[in-house]
């Protein structure tokens, strides 16, 4: 016997269907979160690849600059080796000029 205002309980089939629908909703939510996580992971992989490419380019640039610096150092060394004898010649010319000035004064 039912009391006034009381609703009859749903048949067992309807209750099972409602529970299944609730489970489907949870499953759909889980799938949505999984897909979002996969999309975020894919974006991180794309960003990681881009950063790796930039890093490799910078490494290549650094190696190129190291080779250029090495070549410039060699050029500087060669120039110094040419300049040192010229400086000695300049000193000798200075002392010769001083000697000539002295002789000129004596004459």
């Amino acid at each position: 016997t039912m009391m006034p205002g009381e609703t009859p309980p749903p048949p067992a089939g309807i209750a099972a269907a409602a529970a299944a629908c609730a489970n489907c909703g949870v499953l759909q939510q889980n799938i949505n979160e999984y897909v979002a996580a996969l999309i975020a992971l894919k974006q991180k992989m794309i960003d990681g690849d881009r950063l790796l490419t930039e890093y490799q380019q910078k490494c290549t640039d650094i190696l190129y600059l190291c080779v250029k610096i090495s070549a410039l150092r060699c050029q500087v060394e060669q120039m110094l080796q040419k300049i040192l004898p010229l400086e000695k010649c300049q000193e000798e010319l200075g002392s010769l000029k001083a000697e000539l000035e002295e002789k000129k004064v004596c004459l």
Side-chain angles (χ1 to χ4, degrees), residues 82-101:
K82 289 177 183 176
I83 287 172
L84 287 173
L86 290 175
E87 285 178 342
K88 281 190 175 182
C89 285
Q90 195 173 16
E91 285 176 22
E92 290 173 11
L93 284 173
S95 54
L96 280 173
K97 188 177 176 185
E99 279 182 40
L100 286 171
E101 287 295 327

Side-chain angles (χ1 to χ4, degrees), residues 3-64:
M3 299 293 289
E6 196 177 0
T7 56
I14 293 176
C21 272
N23 287 342
C24 280
V26 170
L27 181 62
Q28 186 62 52
Q29 180 63 33
N30 287 343
I31 289 172
N32 291 345
E33 290 172 6
Y34 180 69
V35 168
L38 281 176
I39 290 169
L41 181 61
K42 185 176 180 184
Q43 188 57 52
K44 284 182 180 177
M45 288 171 69
I46 290 168
D47 292 345
D49 284 348
R50 181 181 49 78
L51 287 171
L52 186 60
T53 302
E54 288 176 10
Y55 174 75
Q56 287 172 333
Q57 183 59 51
K58 285 180 181 175
C59 288
T60 303
D61 293 347
I62 288 169
L63 286 173
Y64 173 72

